[in-house]
Amino acid sequence: MSRLVVISNRIADPRKPAAGGLAVALGETLNQTGGLWFGWSGTVTEDGLPGEGTLHTRQAGNVTLATVDLCREDHDSYYYGYSNSVLWPVFHYRLDLADFNAGYIAGYRRVNQMYARKLLPLLKDDDVIWVHDYHLIPLAAELRALGCRQKIGFFLHIPVPPPLIMAAIPQHEWLMRSFFAYDLVGLQSEADVAHFTRYLDQEASAQAVGPQRLRAFGATVQVGAFPIGIDVDEFARLAAAPEAMDTFHSMREEYSRRRLLLGIDRLDYSKGIPQRVRAFRELLSRYPENQHSATLVMIASPSRDSVNAYADLRTELEGLCGAINGDFGDLDWMPLRYIHRTVARKRVPGLCRAAAVGLVTPLRDGMNLVAKEYVAAQDPEDPGVLVLSRFAGAAEQMKEALLVNPYDTQGMADTIQTALQMPLPERQRRHQRLMENIREHDVHWWRKSYLSALEQAGEDDDRSHLARGS
Ligand code: ADQ
């Protein structure tokens, strides 16, 4: 079995449970193969030079963790700039929030080039390399330019926008060409594969040279949907642990006379948080029986505070939440509790289990793992109901959730009311189907199916080897 090398913006020690599902999933193969995990150290230096960074390596059991510091200028243009002010908004269809500052692209390329230079000497001939997410799209091209011949796969955790939205990025052609240095491009959903393929067809006259195998820019790439899942067993263990039980019981006690609705997100404009608050307000007006009996708890963890769009979102949300509590609240009932914090991972299952309705309402989302975690945390005998945006990648798999359009405030309020009133047998039936799907397509399935597709990619195709010069 080849050694697995994972590259992602942030890395985690896979031995620590707080690292979360992805680290656990990748950790398993990293451990088995004595693998390497490479990424940013999390440190921003004030005196470093652009394009330079100190490499740190340490062992975490069988796994080598290699990280690089970034200087302020690189971090601001690569991370806050191109990654999170260009790629993140555009890939989530938010051209209105994109900042096409011409200075950002140089930092993005510089950091990817520097990562390639730092990584190359650490590689072995038969390594399999797996690059993650939008921060690192050009990494394979930079590695290939330095002579790297190993198999390299890429997985995009965020959505792919339709071709004309992608084309708004001034460097869109360069960006899409960069994908062709990979052997396999993994996307979250079939909708993403369709957008990716259509862009290449329309903008680069791509030819299909096999099932999900495309030729353009003089090279060939395999593309496929690999919807990411959660670690159901790890989540079940967390759910049975004392911290989750404590959280569950204290929530049930505190809200014993109320129905609890729950939202857990990063505070991000893609997550549809203000839209959810508006729908909740509509629920209270249209269905006044919920006044004094329904409480919405929203936990939104701080995220990318230095990007303007995030500060604006925070202000908007604080205004909306304050208004709802002011207009509807009473001495003995506050309709909404908004908490701007990350909850400890071990508390998440207890919170989810205590909620009669899980509200996952992004305007656009690559997948959304909270939807899957909410389902996995439920008591099968008395499960809560998931209200899920049709614009989350998860909606392709989770058809038994109540699917909503988060732009439709009234429709969402009606659907939340349906969820609150759903009879037990229907809740059980939907939950059971959702659970079967989540279990079948868990994070281990995702990792195994991706890595076996990467192993196969291009094996029957001489041209891709020729393109790589091997
Ligand atoms: P995110 O947008 O960060 O990631 P999402 O899938 O919504 O991801 O959540 C990831 C994890 O963060 C979940 O395990 C969740 O429990 C946790 N989390 C979120 N908010 C939290 C809070 N306030 N407190 C504690 N924990 C919280 C990107 C894409 C997603 C995709 C993932 C994985 O944007 O679409 O699902 O990657 O591929």
Side-chain angles (χ1 to χ4, degrees), residues 26-48:
L26 296 176
E28 200 171 287
T29 309
L30 283 167
N31 234 318
Q32 281 164 7
T33 62
L36 170 70
W37 196 346
F38 180 99
W40 175 41
S41 64
T43 301
V44 178
T45 58
E46 297 300 337
D47 51 357

Side-chain angles (χ1 to χ4, degrees), residues 157 188 265-266 271 301 343 345 365-369 373:
H157 290 255
Q188 295 272 31
D265 316 79
R266 258 183 326 98
K271 302 290 181 186
S301 55
V343 281
R345 185 154 177 76
D365 216 329
M367 177 55 57
N368 198 303
L369 294 180
E373 290 169 351

